[in-house]
């Protein structure tokens, strides 16, 4: 009896202690974002020069990237640096908590960097200003040109510590870059960091390309290309640039995605006016037919465990979303709401399916449970589609097109992101117009 | 019998178009039940042989006007035995990209099938879908969308 009482006491103590720590509630739209101070990382004066980098400003450059990441979540409010009360190097050793609390900061990030022998050494700390204690201290070494990734990795660690969820900053987005008038768009595959930096173009724009998607290790991309005017699914190795057509189909293949283990590509194959879903094993080259129906079956997406596939079919007359076992058995329609439904994509957590809905001439991005219940529409517009999940299943990226005038003027296509809470809708800046985004998994796991 | 029936349909649609154009102004008259019936964007394979047919939203069925156009195309192809064609299938911008690719393919094949029933060998007809990627009218308006929901027969050689 006394023992039990003691355990309860201990538990109470433990819980109240945990309450003393700051935490960020991400289960609903956060209207009261956490004030956080990101001190510029102190640059060690013993640092070497490094070709192509301003080492002196690297500390504040890294902190700016971290701040921008935090701001984009809608969960944090990075405070203005002119109010900061301590020099970066001193704060990093031990902050004067009460001074930082005066500027209403609840969390503080400090750090220092050293560039030596062509290596970038970074250490950072996250401080809980309410409980006056250190929450994380980490150090790592990389090549100096990797400094943006360092900023993203630090952002992920802090996000994880404060929200209890996996981060998503050290990631990339592959998309279709678009330029030129609406009826003569030049489209190229482009890849960039999640925050819009480091854009690289992977194709030259000689042929139409659409719907790129990453494999689970982010090394490969599958996409649709009209190379030689034959629309086919292709596989591209991002590092080597080598490309190959997927399978030997006597007609259009499209709507490709990787299986969660990366071993197969699932896609639609259209023949004689009918589109069905097929898979091809990338190693054995074995092709399997998954659906066999006179209706259009397209936009397949695996559940993260690989056991199920959601897809889009008009077998009921109009586009609806269906779920089946990965061998094609047990097909069940899951959408019954008013309007048509397309582009289902299974969440990396497995619980939700994101989709595009069209109703009364308006386009919605929404989420629902994988059995079709609990539909929530997150955003409405003139035209938007193609949601893709952040690797932690918290955020969707999609593209939106604007209405154009009599000569096609005013037409734009841009990437946007939104929280699955329906809050924090943001335009993602891209060098050109952009569509068909696909979010990578975390680059460092 | 079938021919007679489609002739009757054509007549009905023409009559409807006449009534519409009589009582309304502007371009609305060129769209009948969501299908474009005008000639603004149309090009010709030969004199009197239109190169394209139009579809209703999300549909790939051929209207009687479309069938009339395609019969003329078939006649023209029968006379020009060495000519091969590509049938391009297109969709408007009001659908999701992947579904539109499938829809364009379905529309192009509806045309191919019809040409084949009029004696044109399938070997002479290839199909390609462009989904919503190649609009002929770039405006965002119901009229433009009706002009973009189309199949276009293009000479290859």
């Amino acid at each position: 009896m006394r023992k039990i009482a003691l355990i309860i006491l201990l538990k109470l103590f433990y819980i109240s202690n945990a309450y003393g720590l700051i935490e960020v509630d991400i289960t609903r739209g956060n209207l009261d974002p956490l004030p956080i101070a990101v001190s510029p990382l102190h640059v060690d004066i013993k640092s070497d020069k490094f070709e192509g980098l301003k080492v002196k400003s690297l500390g504040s450059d890294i902190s700016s990237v971290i701040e921008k990441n935090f701001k984009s979540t809608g969960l944090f409010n990075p405070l203005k640096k002119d109010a900061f009360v301590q020099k970066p190097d001193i704060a990093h050793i031990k902050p004067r908590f009460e001074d930082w609390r005066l500027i209403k900061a609840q969390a503080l990030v400090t750090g220092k960097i050293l560039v030596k022998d062509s290596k970038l050494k970074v250490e950072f700390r996250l401080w809980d200003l309410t409980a006056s204690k250190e929450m994380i201290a980490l150090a790592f070494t990389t090549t100096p040109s990797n400094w943006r990734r360092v900023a993203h990795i630090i952002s992920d660690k802090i996000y994880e510590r404060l929200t209890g969820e996996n981060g998503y900053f050290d990631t990339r987005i592959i998309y279709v870059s678009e330029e030129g008038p609406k009826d003569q768009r030049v489209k190229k595959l482009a890849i960039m960091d999640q925050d819009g930096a480091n854009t690289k173009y992977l194709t030259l724009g000689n042929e139409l390309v659409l719907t790129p998607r990453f494999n689970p290790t982010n090394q490969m991309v599958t996409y649709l290309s009209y190379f030689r005017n034959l629309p086919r699914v292709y596989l591209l190795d991002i590092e080597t640039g080598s490309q190959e057509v997927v399978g030997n189909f006597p007609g259009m293949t499209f709507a490709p995605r990787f299986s969660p283990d990366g071993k197969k590509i699932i896609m639609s194959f259209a023949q004689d006016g009918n589109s069905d879903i097929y898979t091809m094993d990338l190693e054995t080259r074995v092709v399997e037919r998954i659906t066999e129906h006179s209706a259009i079956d397209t936009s397949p997406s695996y559940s993260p465990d690989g056991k199920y596939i959601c897809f889009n079919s008009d077998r009921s007359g109009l586009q609806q979303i269906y779920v089946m076992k990965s061998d094609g058995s047990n097909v069940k329609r899951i959408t019954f709401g008013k309007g048509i439904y397309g582009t289902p994509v299974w969440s990396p957590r497995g619980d939700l399916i994101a989709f595009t809905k069209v109703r009364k001439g308006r386009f919605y991005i929404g989420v629902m449970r994988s059995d079709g219940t609990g539909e929530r529409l997150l955003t409405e517009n003139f035209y938007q589609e193609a949601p893709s999940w952040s690797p932690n299943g918290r955020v969707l990226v999609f593209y939106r097109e604007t209405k154009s005038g009599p000569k096609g003027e005013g037409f734009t296509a841009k990437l946007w992101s939104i929280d699955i809470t329906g809050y924090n809708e943001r335009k993602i800046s891209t060098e050109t117009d952009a569509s068909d985004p696909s979010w990578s998994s975390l680059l460092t796991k | 019998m079938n021919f007679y029936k489609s002739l009757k349909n054509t007549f009905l649609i023409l009559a409807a178009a006449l009534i519409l154009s009589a009582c309304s102004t502007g371009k609305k008259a060129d769209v009948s039940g969501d299908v474009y019936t005008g000639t603004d964007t149309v090009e010709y394979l030969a004199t009197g042989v239109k190169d394209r047919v139009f579809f209703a939203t999300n549909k790939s069925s051929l209207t009687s006007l479309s069938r009339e156009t395609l019969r003329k195309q078939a006649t023209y192809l029968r006379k020009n035995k060495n000519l091969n064609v590509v049938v391009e299938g297109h969709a408007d911008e009001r659908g999701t990209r992947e579904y539109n690719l499938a829809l364009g393919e379905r529309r192009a094949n509806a045309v191919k099938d019809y040409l084949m029933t009029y004696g044109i060998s399938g070997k002479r007809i290839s199909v390609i879908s462009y989904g919503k990627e190649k609009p002929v009218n770039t405006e965002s308006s119901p009229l433009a969308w009706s002009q973009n929901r189309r199949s276009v027969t293009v000479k290859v050689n």
Side-chain angles (χ1 to χ4, degrees):
Chain A
M1 194 60 200
R2 282 179 76 167
K3 242 184 189 171
I4 291 169
L6 191 67
I7 287 167
I8 289 170
L9 262 177
L10 275 174
K11 272 209 161 160
L12 277 175
F13 180 72
Y14 181 75
I15 288 166
S16 62
N17 193 19
Y19 263 91
L21 296 175
I22 45 165
E23 51 187 50
V24 177
D25 181 5
I26 52 155
T27 53
R28 58 197 167 83
N30 202 311
L31 303 174
D32 196 15
L34 182 91
I36 186 165
V38 184
S39 172
L41 276 63
H42 171 68
V43 183
D44 196 314
I45 48 161
K46 294 195 291 284
S47 287
D48 299 339
K49 286 195 169 136
F50 191 81
E51 175 94 36
L53 278 183
K54 281 188 187 155
V55 174
K56 255 190 181 171
S57 65
L58 208 51
S60 54
D61 290 345
I62 290 175
S63 71
S64 299
V65 171
I66 297 171
E67 282 179 328
K68 199 176 160 221
N69 282 339
F70 286 168
K71 205 161 175 37
S72 76
T73 64
L75 301 170
F76 301 95
N77 173 25
L79 299 172
K80 286 209 174 89
K81 285 186 166 59
D82 48 18
F84 286 5
V85 289
Q86 262 186 308
K87 285 195 169 169
D89 48 342
I90 301 165
H92 183 58
I93 297 164
K94 173 116 181 142
R96 281 195 311 274
F97 294 107
E98 48 308 342
D99 289 1
W100 287 98
R101 281 197 295 265
L102 275 180
I103 65 162
K104 306 277 186 244
Q106 289 186 36
L108 170 67
V109 180
T110 65
K112 74 175 189 195
I113 62 171
L114 170 69
V115 178
K116 200 87 200 160
D117 307 326
S118 298
K119 286 255 153 61
L120 170 64
K121 277 185 165 180
V122 182
E123 55 175 77
F124 79 95
R125 294 196 174 105
L126 170 66
W127 306 90
D128 181 340
L129 299 172
T130 313
S132 303
K133 60 195 276 185
E134 183 186 290
M135 292 178 89
I136 327 175
L138 274 176
F140 39 93
T141 305
T142 179
T143 57
S145 51
N146 253 345
W147 68 271
R148 279 191 157 268
R149 282 202 58 200
V150 166
H152 294 314
I153 292 166
I154 293 174
S155 305
D156 281 329
K157 296 294 173 201
I158 295 168
Y159 181 92
E160 282 161 22
R161 185 65 180 82
L162 292 176
T163 66
E165 305 260 337
N166 287 329
Y168 59 91
F169 302 113
D170 185 24
T171 54
R172 288 168 165 176
I173 292 173
I174 192 162
Y175 63 97
V176 172
S177 150
E178 301 192 6
E179 286 173 291
K182 198 176 173 183
D183 53 352
Q184 295 167 53
R185 291 294 253 189
V186 174
K187 298 196 177 191
K188 301 172 190 168
L189 293 188
I191 192 168
M192 64 180 184
D193 294 351
Q194 142 284 132
D195 61 352
N198 287 328
T199 304
K200 286 190 186 73
Y201 297 92
L202 304 177
T203 60
L204 297 169
N206 296 329
E207 58 271 326
L208 177 62
V209 291
L210 302 169
T211 63
R213 277 95 191 226
F214 281 111
N215 78 336
T217 55
N218 309 316
Q219 306 292 312
M220 309 286 271
V221 172
T222 182
Y223 67 104
L224 171 59
S225 171
Y226 277 71
F227 183 64
R228 291 188 176 149
N229 230 17
L230 293 171
R232 296 287 188 275
V233 168
Y234 281 76
L235 191 63
L236 166 69
D237 185 315
I238 298 175
E239 297 300 318
T240 67
S242 74
Q243 299 182 46
E244 56 171 307
V245 70
V246 175
N248 184 24
F249 292 89
M252 176 172 70
T253 46
F254 61 109
R257 276 182 203 279
F258 284 92
S259 60
D261 61 9
K263 289 181 178 164
K264 286 179 185 173
I265 287 179
I266 189 164
M267 64 200 141
S268 281
F269 165 48
Q271 195 178 30
D272 303 330
N274 179 34
S275 297
D276 279 314
I277 293 168
Y278 288 71
T279 58
M280 194 184 92
D281 188 301
L282 292 172
E283 204 179 285
T284 63
R285 306 270 138 179
V286 171
V287 170
E288 263 188 275
R289 185 175 188 157
I290 307 295
T291 66
E292 193 161 355
H293 197 286
S294 59
I296 289 172
D297 293 338
T298 189
S299 301
S301 166
Y302 276 101
S303 61
D305 62 8
K307 287 181 180 162
Y308 296 91
I309 296 163
C310 57
F311 66 104
N312 196 198
S313 176
D314 65 359
R315 56 184 69 189
S316 73
L318 288 170
Q319 278 174 275
Q320 298 291 342
I321 295 171
Y322 294 75
V323 169
M324 62 188 167
K325 286 192 175 162
S326 58
D327 63 359
S329 66
N330 245 325
V331 179
K332 278 189 190 124
R333 177 174 165 182
I334 64 163
T335 51
F336 295 91
K338 283 183 181 145
I340 63 169
Y341 293 79
T343 75
V345 206
W346 220 300
S347 147
R349 297 175 175 210
D351 52 346
L352 297 173
I353 290 173
F355 58 87
T356 307
K357 177 174 181 168
V358 189
R359 196 182 166 208
K360 291 186 176 168
R362 301 293 288 176
F363 282 66
Y364 302 81
I365 303 292
V367 292
M368 63 175 102
R369 285 188 212 104
S370 58
D371 62 359
T373 62
E375 174 178 312
R376 284 190 295 119
L377 300 176
L378 308 178
T379 163
E380 180 222 346
N381 216 276
F382 168 73
Y383 184 91
Q384 53 191 358
E385 66 144 330
S388 172
W389 291 92
S390 66
N392 68 350
R394 293 286 321 164
V395 183
L396 291 166
V397 60
F398 56 95
Y399 80 95
R400 178 178 287 171
E401 289 178 355
T402 53
K403 204 168 176 170
S404 47
K407 297 214 158 57
E409 72 276 14
F411 176 74
T412 63
K414 298 286 178 196
L415 304 187
W416 289 73
S417 69
I418 194 164
D419 242 72
I420 56 164
T421 54
Y423 288 90
N424 198 33
E425 185 173 284
R426 272 165 199 275
K427 194 197 264 185
I428 297 176
S429 65
T430 43
E431 291 181 353
T432 60
D433 270 14
S435 62
D436 289 355
S438 170
W439 212 320
S440 78
S441 56
L442 277 175
L443 301 179
T444 329
K445 281 173 194 165
Chain B
M1 185 62 201
N2 217 342
F3 177 72
Y4 180 73
K5 209 167 149 189
S6 62
L7 201 69
K8 212 167 115 187
N9 283 340
T10 310
F11 177 73
L12 279 175
I13 282 180
L14 279 176
L18 278 174
I19 292 163
L20 276 171
S21 60
C23 62
S24 71
T25 54
K27 286 180 166 175
K28 276 241 154 98
D30 287 345
V31 181
S32 160
D34 194 32
V35 180
Y36 185 66
T37 53
T39 53
D40 269 1
T41 56
V42 174
E43 292 178 30
Y44 291 83
L45 293 174
T47 312
V49 186
K50 291 176 187 165
D51 71 338
R52 68 196 62 198
V53 298
F54 300 95
F55 298 89
T57 303
N58 285 327
K59 294 280 188 279
S60 56
S61 47
L62 300 168
T63 64
S64 47
L65 192 63
S66 299
R67 291 197 291 264
E68 191 188 307
T69 298
L70 295 177
R71 283 194 298 273
K72 284 182 181 162
Q73 287 188 5
T75 308
Y76 174 69
L77 286 171
R78 272 202 305 276
K79 279 186 200 154
N80 297 275
K81 292 205 184 320
N82 295 323
L83 188 65
N84 292 344
V85 291
V86 180
V87 180
E88 300 175 353
H90 299 271
D92 65 29
E93 64 178 1
R94 303 306 289 158
T96 53
R97 192 186 309 283
E98 291 178 336
Y99 182 81
N100 274 347
L101 288 170
L103 185 60
E105 206 264 350
R106 197 194 248 171
R107 282 173 177 162
N109 273 285
V111 166
K112 180 182 175 179
D113 288 349
Y114 195 77
L115 292 173
M116 284 169 70
T117 59
Y118 279 82
I120 311 303
S121 160
K123 286 178 191 152
R124 297 175 62 193
I125 312 165
S126 51
V127 297
I128 186 166
S129 171
Y130 288 106
K132 66 172 182 131
E133 307 305 317
K134 291 186 186 288
V136 67
N137 184 337
T138 53
E139 190 177 1
S140 297
S141 69
L143 175 69
W145 298 329
S146 74
Q147 291 171 344
N148 291 335
R149 291 189 295 271
R150 69 200 192 277
S151 284
V152 185
T153 306
V154 181
K155 294 177 195 171
V156 176
N157 48 350

